[in-house]
Amino acid sequence: MNFDCKDLNHDTLLNFYKAIVWPRLVEEKMLVLLRQGRIGKWFSGIGQEAISVGSTLAMQPDEFILPMHRNLGVFTARNIPLFNLMAQWQGKAAGFTKGRDRSFHFGTHHYKIVGMISHLGPQMAVATGIALADVLAGRKKATLVFTGDGATSEGDFHEAINVAAVWNLPVIFLIENNGYALSTTTGEQYKCENLVDRAKGYGIEGRQIDGNNLLEVYHTINELATDIRKNPRPVLIECMTFRRRGHEEASGVKYVPEHLFETWKAKDPVTCYEQFLIDEKILQPAWVSHTHNEFIPIIEAEVEKALQQPAIIPDVQTELNDMYRAHTLAPAIINSSSTPKRYMDAISDALRLSMRNFPKLVLMGQDIAGYGGVFKITDGFMNEFGKERVRNTPLCESAILGAGLGLAINGYKSVIEMQFADFVSVGFNQIINNLAKSHYRWGQNADVVIRMPAGAGTGAGPFHSQSNEAWFTKTPGLKVVYPSTPADAKGLLMAAIDDPNPVIYFEHKYLYRTLTDEVPEGDYYVEIGKAKTVSEGNDVTIITYGLGVRWALDYAKKYPDLSIEIIDLRSLQPWDKEAAIAGVKKTGRVLVLHEDTLGSGFGAEIAATLSECCFNYLDAPIMRCASLDTAIPMDAGLEKQFLANARLEEMMEKLLRY
């Protein structure tokens, strides 16, 4: 193994030695604790320390690194106290996630580290968002993100690199190729000869290096990071190494041929670097044991101190409160004047005003820039705000959603348009497991609004017509809104953008050009979580939202002799239980109406809650009127039959007759 000192002095080389020995000794202590039964799980990076340590030492302290579960050296090279790391691994209060997540699944702004989630790959898109924020802010910084050879088969890997390449983002994508994804060999993972060859397909530079050579890793990352800070662009690095322990200790290594252990033992990054320093007369042989004797007591003390920390005392209210970043909607000066606006124009108005109010707000979506979006919501925005803030994206929803989280981590807001709400399914993991959980896990809010053009009525068929709000209303950490009027479309969108939490904003395509109403001028906000009583009544209550409000109003107009209370929820997560309960108590009869399919639709949650809270006030069973439990057909007749409105009169008659 050839080591190149270049311009590193002896003190620096010795400091590098201490930096690589420290995580090795910590790991050896963890394996002892595991055998003793004092810890329950460990993902070992023994044999791979040169990658974590060398790359981290090459990055500037204020540059973000996104490591994985085998990168202890990243955390130690950033000087995170072992006490806090051990507390994190043991779920103690002195850790970084309040006992809510395991191992390295955490982030810390103080040390500029953003940990992974168990779904390998999503952190790569987050890195692109962090880098994008640096570019937009004019900061000459690089971002480093790790992935494994197995995760390069995932869509997130390809989407993130493609976005970074198209946008010239200063990201170093580092692959740790250690030969195995759990027990699956690289030969079963990909067909290309080298993973770094994939760089050519994305038009970026790629390098394959010896991942066990500390100085080669350091010099390569240092050189590239220095360059891409000045000339932003992504690069792909493949670090060749070997995993000498199991995927985690319980899985063992019986599937690995024995000769590989002997081959790679000779390439051990710690002992090889140690021998190099000795050969070069930089390190005295006696200093090896001296370094170990210096570090081991410190490790023992820090570990024991963390193990002796008391268990976290569970508190229900604390857990509930921490799902969201606390936020109070600032009162806006509302102009008393209003103007008739179409539903779609009200949405455009909200976006335009918010872009002016928040200079660090970025819009992202397919065809939203020069073309103005398929529904022309952002028509003209690029001319006013520029391409940097109104960004056309490649067809890669998952990467863009992950980039939204990265932007939030690095101080920006974003509004991401799904061209159709149906298409959000390919970015589901980023929303459900990354955006929704980041604040609860480590206190990082996801300041992201996802616009969802939804709903039927236009003959668009099964893949452009779903009202899929129930996919998200059961996920803590998300807020979900669904306006039914132009005024609420504006007010809820401005409130969603002001809110630092992730908000799923449903907008009904059928209403874009068919509904016009008065909309307040200037800044206008509707509080998320507050319902609106659309009409007062005493005979029956209809609880609804979205297009269902129009159906309810049409029904009430057709039957003027009925006194109907119509409650527009407007927000579905959180939803206004108090307003719904008051409506039930007032009339004793309630119909829950929504466009989504009946089975497991959000109406089931409403009905269950009202059954628990209002049983003594009911004069009839709570009834639901929803769309058929089928996919949405294209044919006009079939679509009409599918929609809940086709059964509204029947269900109301049944309810009133009871």
Side-chain angles (χ1 to χ4, degrees):
M1 189 178 292
N2 296 318
F3 291 92
D4 185 354
C5 296
K6 292 191 177 179
D7 56 353
L8 300 176
N9 61 38
H10 285 196
D11 286 344
T12 300
L13 293 170
L14 287 172
N15 286 333
F16 280 18
Y17 175 65
K18 292 179 180 180
I20 198 171
V21 168
W22 176 258
R24 171 64 63 88
L25 295 178
V26 171
E27 286 234 38
E28 290 176 351
K29 175 63 177 178
M30 293 304 110
L31 296 179
V32 171
L33 292 174
L34 193 65
R35 289 193 294 271
Q36 294 173 342
R38 300 184 71 190
I39 63 174
K41 205 174 189 70
W42 184 253
F43 295 88
S44 177
I46 286 178
Q48 299 181 200
E49 296 94 342
I51 301 172
S52 300
V53 174
S55 60
T56 302
L57 293 173
M59 300 295 289
Q60 295 176 352
D62 61 348
E63 291 178 321
F64 279 96
I65 302 177
L66 295 86
M68 294 187 69
H69 54 285
R70 221 175 297 285
N71 296 126
L72 172 61
V74 171
F75 298 84
T76 56
R78 279 278 165 99
N79 298 314
I80 298 183
L82 179 56
F83 166 71
N84 297 111
L85 287 174
M86 190 66 195
Q88 166 65 24
W89 303 332
Q90 291 298 102
K92 306 289 188 178
F96 294 88
T97 63
K98 302 181 182 179
R100 293 166 181 162
D101 212 339
R102 66 189 305 170
S103 64
F104 296 122
H105 295 198
F106 71 90
T108 161
H109 274 276
H110 183 74
Y111 297 99
K112 289 294 185 287
I113 291 175
V114 179
M116 59 175 289
I117 64 173
S118 292
H119 304 66
L120 305 179
Q123 76 277 6
M124 299 184 71
V126 177
T128 68
I130 291 172
L132 175 59
D134 283 334
V135 170
L136 292 173
R139 297 186 288 259
K140 296 185 182 300
K141 297 295 176 184
T143 300
L144 171 65
V145 59
F146 287 73
T147 192
D149 50 276
T152 63
S153 298
E154 293 195 331
D156 284 297
F157 172 85
H158 301 277
E159 289 193 17
I161 292 180
N162 188 53
V163 168
V166 171
W167 288 353
N168 291 314
L169 299 177
V171 182
I172 299 172
F173 295 99
L174 189 154
I175 304 169
E176 291 183 291
N177 191 341
N178 61 23
Y180 289 86
L182 210 154
S183 70
T184 305
T185 64
T186 53
E188 298 172 276
Q189 283 284 350
Y190 54 86
K191 191 68 173 176
C192 55
E193 184 176 352
N194 301 299
L195 286 171
V196 72
D197 294 339
R198 292 179 171 177
K200 299 174 185 175
Y202 297 103
I204 67 173
E205 179 183 356
R207 294 193 194 179
Q208 185 185 81
I209 63 174
D210 182 355
N212 282 26
N213 187 321
L214 177 64
L215 296 186
E216 185 174 347
V217 173
Y218 170 80
H219 289 311
T220 302
I221 301 300
N222 181 52
E223 172 199 334
L224 291 171
T226 300
D227 195 33
I228 68 175
R229 289 178 193 122
K230 295 179 291 185
N231 305 296
R233 68 191 189 282
V235 292
L236 181 65
I237 308 298
E238 182 181 14
C239 294
M240 306 306 293
T241 186
F242 181 69
R243 197 190 70 217
R244 289 166 57 185
R245 311 290 303 184
H247 169 70
E248 41 82 29
E249 289 303 307
S251 65
V253 291
K254 290 182 179 179
Y255 47 85
V256 182
E258 188 63 32
H259 71 89
L260 289 177
F261 291 106
E262 294 303 317
T263 299
W264 284 94
K265 184 178 180 181
K267 301 178 182 180
D268 182 280
V270 176
T271 57
C272 285
Y273 183 61
E274 183 177 271
Q275 189 60 50
F276 160 74
L277 294 178
I278 292 172
D279 292 344
E280 294 295 315
K281 311 300 184 186
I282 298 170
L283 176 69
Q284 298 296 321
W287 294 354
V288 174
S289 58
H290 175 77
T291 302
H292 285 223
N293 292 335
E294 177 188 351
F295 283 170
I296 288 173
I298 299 173
I299 292 170
E300 295 281 353
E302 291 289 285
V303 166
E304 289 302 320
K305 179 182 173 184
L307 288 172
Q308 297 307 313
Q309 293 295 300
I312 291 173
I313 299 174
D315 178 73
V316 171
Q317 201 56 51
T318 297
E319 297 302 290
L320 292 173
N321 290 345
D322 280 358
M323 279 311 308
Y324 298 91
R325 171 70 60 88
H327 174 62
T328 301
L329 189 64
I333 300 173
I334 301 176
N335 193 325
S336 58
S337 64
S338 62
T339 305
K341 281 187 172 66
R342 294 179 300 176
Y343 187 91
M344 63 171 290
D345 297 327
I347 295 171
S348 293
D349 193 24
L351 286 172
R352 186 174 290 105
L353 290 170
S354 296
M355 288 288 279
R356 293 170 182 168
N357 292 342
F358 298 105
K360 289 189 175 182
L361 173 61
V362 179
L363 307 185
M364 298 188 288
Q366 296 155 20
D367 306 298
I368 68 166
Y371 189 68
V374 294
F375 299 108
K376 301 303 179 185
I377 300 291
T378 54
D379 192 23
F381 276 48
M382 188 185 73
N383 292 335
E384 180 174 353
F385 303 108
K387 284 185 175 181
E388 292 298 296
R389 294 183 63 201
V390 184
R391 304 185 74 89
N392 278 340
T393 69
L395 291 167
C396 48
E397 286 82 359
S398 182
I400 300 307
L401 290 163
L405 177 56
L407 282 168
I409 289 170
N410 213 0
Y412 277 71
K413 288 177 174 283
S414 63
V415 175
I416 300 169
E417 178 188 301
M418 294 293 108
Q419 199 166 75
F420 292 87
D422 314 66
F423 298 169
V424 76
S425 57
V426 293
F428 202 67
N429 183 42
Q430 290 285 8
I431 297 174
I432 298 302
N433 289 311
N434 234 356
L435 273 67
K437 295 179 174 64
S438 64
H439 186 265
Y440 176 75
R441 289 172 51 243
W442 59 283
Q444 174 59 57
N445 64 300
D447 202 338
V448 180
V449 176
I450 304 168
R451 286 183 47 227
M452 301 275 280
T458 60
F463 306 118
H464 297 77
S465 307
Q466 295 175 88
S467 189
N468 48 8
E469 63 274 8
W471 293 0
F472 305 100
T473 51
K474 76 165 303 296
T475 302
L478 300 177
K479 295 187 178 183
V480 182
V481 298
Y482 207 144
S484 67
T485 68
D488 285 347
K490 177 179 179 176
L492 283 171
L493 183 52
M494 292 200 73
I497 294 170
D498 188 71
D499 197 305
N501 297 286
V503 181
I504 313 294
Y505 176 88
F506 283 90
E507 50 197 65
H508 205 291
K509 305 189 304 294
Y510 180 76
L511 298 178
Y512 277 152
R513 293 174 173 82
T514 62
L515 182 62
T516 299
D517 205 352
E518 292 292 320
V519 176
E521 293 289 329
D523 291 351
Y524 175 63
Y525 300 91
V526 171
E527 183 180 355
I528 294 174
K530 293 296 181 183
K532 176 175 64 178
T533 300
V534 178
S535 69
E536 301 276 354
N538 298 304
D539 294 334
V540 64
T541 298
I542 298 177
I543 299 174
T544 186
Y545 56 88
L547 188 58
V549 176
R550 316 318 304 172
W551 292 336
L553 288 170
D554 289 344
Y555 179 88
K557 186 176 180 180
K558 186 175 180 180
Y559 296 94
D561 294 338
L562 273 176
S563 179
I564 303 174
E565 181 108 346
I566 300 175
I567 297 174
D568 179 1
L569 288 179
R570 303 194 290 189
S571 296
L572 307 181
Q573 175 73 304
W575 65 284
D576 195 340
K577 298 179 178 67
E578 290 74 17
I581 290 170
V584 175
K585 289 180 177 180
K586 185 175 181 181
T587 68
R589 297 176 189 272
V590 59
L591 179 79
V592 181
L593 171 66
H594 61 62
E595 182 178 344
D596 192 11
T597 52
L598 181 66
S600 299
F602 188 66
E605 170 65 21
I606 299 170
T609 300
L610 297 180
S611 293
E612 292 174 3
C613 300
C614 303
F615 184 79
N616 292 335
Y617 298 92
L618 291 170
D619 297 324
I622 296 171
M623 295 189 182
R624 292 176 292 154
C625 182
S627 297
L628 294 179
D629 284 328
T630 71
I632 304 174
M634 180 196 71
D635 174 77
L638 292 175
E639 184 183 54
K640 184 177 180 181
Q641 173 186 260
F642 164 84
L643 289 170
N645 195 33
R647 285 164 295 286
L648 179 55
E649 294 204 19
E650 173 190 345
M651 294 304 298
M652 284 292 288
E653 183 180 349
K654 181 179 178 181
L655 177 62
L656 294 167
R657 200 172 56 236
Y658 191 88

